Amino acid sequence: MANERRPENMVRITTPELAQAFIDEQIKAMQEQIGDKKVLLALSGGVDSSVVAALLIKAVGNQLTCVHVNHGLLRKGEPEQVIEVFQNQMKANLVYVDATDRFLDKLAGVTDPETKRMIIGGEFIEVFAEEARKLDGVEFLAQGTIWPDILESEKGIKAHHNAGGLPEDLNFELVEPVKILFKDEVRVVGKQLGLPDGMVYRQPFPGPGLGVRCPGAITRERLEAVRESDAILREEFAKNGLEGKVWQYFTVVPDFKSTGIKDGKRAFEWSVIIRAVNTTDAMTAEVEEIPFALMHHLVKRITHEVPGVNRVLYDFTPKPTGTIEFE
Ligand code: XMP
């Protein structure tokens, strides 16, 4: 591998030229490391794993197999985008696993946030391991580890292995081509690799996905309300120039209903909470001041287009006291 650690004097990658130099260097390093062997990658569609996939496709083409696990908690259009970009456009070997039923069945009735996270993480590893065992002769596992992950794991803040914790029979050598990069550099590299802006400049999205935005026990109906309202929020933020400006924005549908009126009849339905925050490091966060006219428009669209929703609320709470996510 080219570099185990980020060189002290490394120039921050901010231009297409610097990105291209990094890409050329990594392609060469990966070709040397991998030779004619096979590589496996868990491709979530997030910036880091997408950039790793695009780099590996350039370096070793079809020696790479990408596995995209749909845990049923992804945002609207995400699995489709992964298939479109990597399978249709980049001609990657992509295994798409729709494991929605498996995840939602395991999560049924589970209310504790940390238990929900553990089930989602554990099931993810199981599904991925099952797919890995179906493939012959894979010796390498690629991961979208980035430099802050390494620093945080050294400080004991978090374990950095994204697809870590694989069962012992799956003993792969790691390929981590972006591990000396900061997030902003990964984006510049992704742009240079030709990935779509929607992927490169994506807002952060938690691993447990919409599961943490459907507080308490997840039901399919409430999850759909989260997914549909999130899609409307993202569409409206994009149309109104807020997409690249607001750090993170999403909707939450808590597990309570309130009385309302729809088509002249009593409607006992859910509320959608909108959250939009700005931060630099996610340790603290301030609430975005959404223009009132846009707020009214969002209320109208969400209450009219999302089944089972009769109210829309805005979360004015900074972090602290609130966290960014609800669970
Ligand atoms: P909180 O809610 O702790 O979130 O203020 C800070 C940032 O971390 C993201 N987040 C997660 N990301 N797995 C992840 O990969 C998780 O379990 C998780 N929980 C929160 C959150 O979206 C925000 O960007």
Side-chain angles (χ1 to χ4, degrees), residues 303-325:
T303 52
H304 283 75
E305 294 175 36
V306 182
V309 172
N310 65 359
R311 280 176 208 267
V312 176
L313 315 171
Y314 191 58
D315 184 354
F316 278 99
T317 319
K319 176 180 181 177
T321 53
T323 48
I324 293 177
E325 303 287 349

Side-chain angles (χ1 to χ4, degrees), residues 117 204-208 212-213 247-248 250 282-283 319 322-327:
R117 274 192 172 77
F205 186 62
V212 293
R213 297 173 185 174
W247 198 78
Q248 197 170 9
F250 53 86
M283 300 299 285
K319 176 180 181 177
T323 48
I324 293 177
E325 303 287 349
F326 267 50
E327 283 195 331

